[in-house]
């Protein structure tokens, strides 16, 4: 079966499942805070498994031993939609920092709101950063992890975006460790691409980066150096000149 037909099959299965969960996740909020988190994770697990079956996109993970038992701020490379599924499916209950426009998406936006994710206006600069700190602190106190893509948007393979300070500011002000994640999902599920290609995504989870008593700028720089260094090791031919 061609990559196009496999991608079409994936969409045919993913859309109705997402629609169902897009209704169930916010409705389950009536039962408390945890049911929507559980349902969101089950949705991600189902779609991730369907992606493997329909499109042949598997994954290998190195560094599970680095995942702490207490909440952390996950900061990951952002190349496609695949890593959003992986992080939601495989890590502890979490909320996301995302651009507020996504709230208008049917089903997905409803689910993001139901699990208590943090919607920000990326153009508001310092105000958005303070919002991340204020709301992120409450989520961490509630036992949730906070996931943020420091580049702010999906970046094509071989490129790096500007790393924002929001995640590191939250981490340094709360003394929460940062768990950096690198991967090459964009090689198989491209940025904004319909066509997906079979292969094995390599994911690397780094040692937690301590933030207590540190400067957010220095921490952001350390996160960037680690993630981009791993990207160059995963695909040296893509990042030779980055």
């Amino acid at each position: 079966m061609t990559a196009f037909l496999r991608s079409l099959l994936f969409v045919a299965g993913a859309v109705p499942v997402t629609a169902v969960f897009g209704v169930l996740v916010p409705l389950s909020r009536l039962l408390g805070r945890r049911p929507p988190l559980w349902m969101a994770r089950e949705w991600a697990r189902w779609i991730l498994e369907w992606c493997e079956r329909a499109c042949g996109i598997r994954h290998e993970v190195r560094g599970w031993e680095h995942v702490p038992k207490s909440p952390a701020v996950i900061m990951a490379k952002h190349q496609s939609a695949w890593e959003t599924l992986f992080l939601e499916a495989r890590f502890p209950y979490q909320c996301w920092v995302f651009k507020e426009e996504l709230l208008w998406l049917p089903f997905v936006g409803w689910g993001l709101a139901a699990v208590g994710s943090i919607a920000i206006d990326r153009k508001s600069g310092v105000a958005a950063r303070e919002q991340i700190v204020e709301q992120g602190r409450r989520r961490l106190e509630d036992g949730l992890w906070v996931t943020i893509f420091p580049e702010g948007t999906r970046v094509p393979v071989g490129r790096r975006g500007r790393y924002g300070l929001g995640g590191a500011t939250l981490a340094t002000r709360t003394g929460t460790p940062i768990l950096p994640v690198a991967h090459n999902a964009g090689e198989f599920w491209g940025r904004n691409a319909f066509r997906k290609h079979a292969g094995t995504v390599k994911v690397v989870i780094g040692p937690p980066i301590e933030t207590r008593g540190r400067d957010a700028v220095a921490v952001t720089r350390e996160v960037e150096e680690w993630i981009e260094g791993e990207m160059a090791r995963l695909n040296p031919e893509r990042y030779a000149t980055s």
Side-chain angles (χ1 to χ4, degrees):
M1 188 182 297
T2 66
F4 176 81
L5 289 177
R6 297 185 77 167
S7 301
L8 192 62
L9 178 63
F10 170 75
V11 171
V15 168
V17 169
T18 298
V20 170
F21 275 93
V23 174
L24 292 178
V25 171
L27 282 179
S28 67
R29 186 70 177 83
L30 298 172
L31 303 176
R33 292 185 176 183
R34 294 297 173 179
L37 295 165
W38 179 83
M39 283 203 167
R41 177 189 284 176
E42 290 305 304
W43 167 79
R45 286 177 174 174
W46 197 96
I47 299 295
L48 192 67
E49 176 69 19
W50 180 235
C51 182
E52 180 175 340
R53 291 177 179 273
C55 302
I57 300 179
R58 300 171 296 278
H59 61 275
E60 296 177 352
V61 184
R62 176 162 51 88
W64 278 124
E65 69 276 9
H66 295 144
V67 178
K69 298 186 182 300
S70 56
V73 175
I74 299 172
M75 295 180 68
K77 188 71 178 176
H78 199 17
Q79 291 185 334
S80 75
W82 183 91
E83 60 270 17
T84 63
L85 298 169
F86 169 78
L87 294 170
E88 178 67 31
R90 302 297 187 222
F91 282 83
Y93 287 154
Q94 62 201 267
C95 71
W96 294 69
V97 177
F98 66 100
K99 56 186 179 181
E100 61 183 4
E101 299 95 293
L102 294 181
L103 286 173
W104 295 100
L105 288 178
F107 308 118
V108 173
W110 306 342
L112 285 169
V115 299
S117 290
I118 303 168
I120 62 168
D121 177 1
R122 292 187 301 177
K123 298 178 182 178
S124 62
V126 174
R129 198 179 308 156
E130 292 302 317
Q131 181 185 356
I132 292 171
V133 173
E134 178 186 352
Q135 297 186 34
R137 185 191 302 274
R138 294 202 296 267
R139 304 300 188 273
L140 291 167
E141 290 172 351
D142 286 341
L144 295 182
W145 293 46
V146 177
T147 300
I148 185 169
F149 295 115
E151 293 165 290
T153 190
R154 284 172 284 189
V155 177
V157 173
R159 306 275 184 87
R160 77 164 75 182
R162 185 182 66 82
Y163 277 60
L165 294 174
T169 301
L170 169 62
T172 54
R173 291 198 192 173
T174 59
T176 305
I178 291 173
L179 193 68
V181 178
H183 61 85
N184 64 345
E187 296 284 349
F188 312 101
W189 183 334
R191 176 175 178 261
N192 301 324
F194 169 80
R195 192 186 301 263
K196 299 159 186 63
H197 302 277
T200 301
V201 177
K202 295 179 181 179
V203 181
V204 186
I205 304 169
I209 295 173
E210 293 302 323
T211 64
R212 193 175 300 275
R214 299 185 60 191
D215 174 69
V217 174
V219 170
T220 300
R221 186 179 303 115
E222 183 176 347
V223 171
E224 180 176 4
E225 288 175 355
W226 187 90
I227 291 178
E228 296 301 329
E230 286 300 320
M231 297 306 301
R233 280 183 278 275
L234 285 172
N235 293 99
E237 71 285 357
R238 294 281 202 173
Y239 292 87
T241 61
S242 66

